[in-house]
Amino acid sequence: VAAAESADARTAALESLHHTSAPVLIAGLTTMIGFAALLINEIPATSELGAFCVFGVASITVITLTGVPAALSLLPLREAGGSGRALYSAQPRFARAVRASMAAALGRLGRFQIRHARAVLAFWGVVAIAAVSFVPQIVVDTDFITYFLKDSDVRRDFEAVNRLLTGAVPIYVVMQGDREGTFREPEALRAVERVQRRLEALPGVKSVISAVDLVKLARQALERGDPLQARIPDTRAEAAELVFLIPKEKLRAFATSNHSSANLVLRTDQLGSAALRGLEDAIRSELAAETLPAGIHADVTGSSIRINRGADGIAGNQIGQLAITIA
């Protein structure tokens, strides 16, 4: 329309910019705000995605408001050959009809809302209150295995491992000392054993394995298989000797090479981030209740824990992201 009614290309470009600058700015800014809400996410990849998208949308908005009008002003306004026919033809009849009907419908809607402003505000106020009242019932729970069909091989194999073995989901409780050889000390090994016993009693825990099990098994073997000798040695020298007797490939999963840290491998059949989150909280409570020797501290980790934290973080941050976008 601007091309058909303008004397030259520069005037047509300026007229087009005048009519489109506001909606382009609104679309660009709202899109940037939506992606900027991802910046509060604790997952680096998601935050970086938000930052790159904000930069990209900002660049496109600037180019649309500057480069596109500049390029349009350089285009010929009318076709070569002196035909006089406008370069941009008018809209077809169907497009004009759709445009007119949409404008009429939006006009009627706007007039209705103005005439019944209090009723409209009251209605959406009730809807908002009802929505807010249901917020406390929302439970953040991500269960990746349910993404697969019940008769899929992945789902059946996972359930078989849970049913026949000792739990398909591993969780690691890492106990770190402040020096090399910490877990060659009988006192440190007894602390691992106490923590292991606490964790084994938690609901949902199928088994807990640690370096202590290997040390006790090695001592029993040296004492001709006597079950009563399957215990932690009383002296550091004996404990160190047993630790060094254990094959490295067996011990590697439960202790570092210099024995400064120990790893308890906990297996559970709990599924879903909500259940694992509850189990993690229970593990941390048991660790806090146990008095560890000086210089030793414990933490909970593992791929399942990290994945669930990430998934729950994305879901939990949606409230903050939505609030930022609305504001």
Side-chain angles (χ1 to χ4, degrees):
V1 175
E5 299 175 352
S6 301
D8 53 53
R10 184 177 185 276
T11 303
L14 286 175
E15 186 68 16
S16 299
L17 179 62
H18 173 74
H19 287 290
T20 59
S21 58
V24 169
L25 276 174
I26 292 172
L29 289 175
T30 52
T31 306
M32 290 166 57
I33 291 170
F35 282 115
L38 296 175
L39 297 176
I40 67 174
N41 199 292
E42 63 180 9
I43 301 176
T46 305
S47 301
E48 291 172 3
L49 172 65
F52 279 116
C53 289
V54 168
F55 177 77
V57 173
S59 302
I60 292 173
T61 303
V62 171
I63 292 172
T64 303
L65 293 174
T66 59
V68 172
L72 289 175
S73 68
L74 298 177
L75 294 176
L77 187 61
R78 299 182 183 276
E79 291 183 340
S83 64
R85 188 164 58 87
L87 179 63
Y88 305 100
S89 60
Q91 290 181 331
R93 183 178 301 176
F94 176 74
R96 292 198 301 270
V98 171
R99 179 180 178 182
S101 61
M102 182 177 295
L106 292 176
R108 289 194 298 271
L109 178 62
R111 290 190 293 272
F112 173 82
Q113 292 179 349
I114 292 173
R115 288 196 302 269
H116 305 87
R118 293 183 178 179
V120 170
L121 291 175
F123 171 77
W124 288 112
V126 171
V127 172
I129 293 172
V132 171
S133 66
F134 283 105
V135 169
Q137 301 183 33
I138 297 175
V139 177
V140 177
D141 190 11
T142 306
D143 190 352
F144 296 104
I145 198 65
T146 58
Y147 296 168
F148 298 93
L149 297 175
K150 290 185 177 181
D151 58 349
S152 66
D153 292 339
V154 174
R155 189 81 172 264
R156 289 185 297 184
D157 292 347
F158 189 88
E159 292 173 352
V161 170
N162 270 335
R163 184 177 66 255
L164 302 176
L165 299 179
T166 58
V169 180
I171 297 176
Y172 305 114
V173 177
V174 180
M175 300 179 65
Q176 296 180 322
D178 56 356
R179 65 183 187 280
E180 293 186 7
T182 297
F183 292 94
R184 294 197 295 266
E185 300 284 351
E187 182 183 9
L189 292 174
R190 292 191 184 94
V192 173
E193 186 178 36
R194 292 195 302 271
V195 170
Q196 184 172 347
R197 296 294 172 261
R198 282 180 174 271
L199 300 182
E200 288 174 342
L202 291 176
V205 175
K206 294 300 182 181
S207 69
V208 183
I209 306 174
S210 71
V212 169
D213 298 313
L214 299 179
V215 170
K216 292 162 67 174
L217 186 62
R219 193 175 194 283
Q220 179 181 354
L222 290 177
E223 296 295 335
R224 299 180 180 180
D226 184 359
L228 298 177
Q229 298 301 321
R231 59 181 179 82
I232 296 174
D234 296 324
T235 65
R236 186 183 190 282
E238 186 181 0
E241 181 181 1
L242 291 173
V243 169
F244 284 117
L245 282 175
I246 301 172
K248 291 183 179 180
E249 65 273 12
K250 300 292 185 183
L251 189 61
R252 188 175 294 116
F254 305 105
T256 54
S257 57
N258 62 2
H259 308 139
S260 61
S261 300
N263 181 37
L264 289 84
V265 181
L266 181 152
R267 303 198 74 87
T268 178
D269 60 355
Q270 297 295 302
L271 302 176
S273 60
L276 282 177
R277 188 167 59 247
L279 180 56
E280 181 185 357
D281 292 340
I283 293 172
R284 293 189 181 279
S285 298
E286 294 298 330
L287 294 177
E290 178 61 42
T291 302
L292 299 176
I296 297 178
H297 64 278
D299 197 9
V300 185
T301 186
S303 59
S304 57
I305 296 293
R306 302 297 298 177
I307 290 173
N308 281 300
R309 284 181 187 171
D312 287 355
I314 293 175
N317 283 338
Q318 286 181 356
I319 297 176
Q321 293 168 2
L322 183 61
I324 291 174
T325 306
I326 291 174

